Amino acid sequence: MVRLVHELAEYEKAPEQCELTTEQLRRALFGPSPALYGHVAELDGRVVGFALWFLNFSTWRGTHGIYLEDLYVEPRHRRHGLGRALLAELARECVERGYARLEWWVLNWNEQAIGFYESIGAIPMDEWTVFRLTDDALGRMAHG
């Protein structure tokens, strides 16, 4: 999966920003208090796609939801239903657990993904702007 995450970073034109290691992913998924979950798509015993997700919470709906951090299928295995199958599995997780939402972000330039998401009934939430604190700004905020 780590290899695929790095492939995803390259696909999203930001390979230098991807720092994930096997040990980090192992701890996040299988450590004493896991807060990250994952599903994989396999062909012939080889992982060719994945969905990594964690729980979020909607105060307005009063329930948890799933935030899909990353969905990726190797380019040569796309258009065979693997991405749809991964999303369907996450939708089943939501329904079975009584979660209200399955949501994710997509890069504005990724028209292929946007078209796919719209084809399954997902709606863009373009009235919201994403904010992020990282690195020095995060440190400054923490130490105030």
Side-chain angles (χ1 to χ4, degrees), residues 18-40:
C18 187
E19 301 173 2
L20 182 68
T21 68
T22 301
E23 183 53 36
Q24 287 173 317
L25 186 59
R26 184 178 291 119
R27 267 195 324 266
L29 288 169
F30 306 111
S33 299
L36 180 68
Y37 307 92
H39 290 77
V40 296

Side-chain angles (χ1 to χ4, degrees), residues 68-83:
L68 175 59
E69 176 65 22
D70 284 323
L71 173 69
Y72 181 74
V73 175
E74 290 179 336
R76 70 180 176 274
H77 297 298
R78 293 182 186 159
R79 301 198 181 279
H80 295 109
L82 297 174

Side-chain angles (χ1 to χ4, degrees), residues 39 51 53 66 68 85-95 102:
H39 290 77
W53 57 277
I66 286 178
L68 175 59
L86 287 164
L87 283 172
E89 184 57 32
L90 296 186
R92 278 189 288 279
E93 292 273 352
C94 287
V95 170
L102 169 57

Side-chain angles (χ1 to χ4, degrees), residues 3 12 23 25 30 40 48-50 55 64 73-75 82-83 93 104-105 116 127 133:
R3 174 185 56 81
E12 292 185 350
E23 183 53 36
L25 186 59
F30 306 111
V40 296
V48 298
F50 70 90
L55 294 180
H64 282 289
V73 175
E74 290 179 336
L82 297 174
E93 292 273 352
W104 60 92
W105 299 347
F116 167 60
E127 70 270 17
L133 280 173

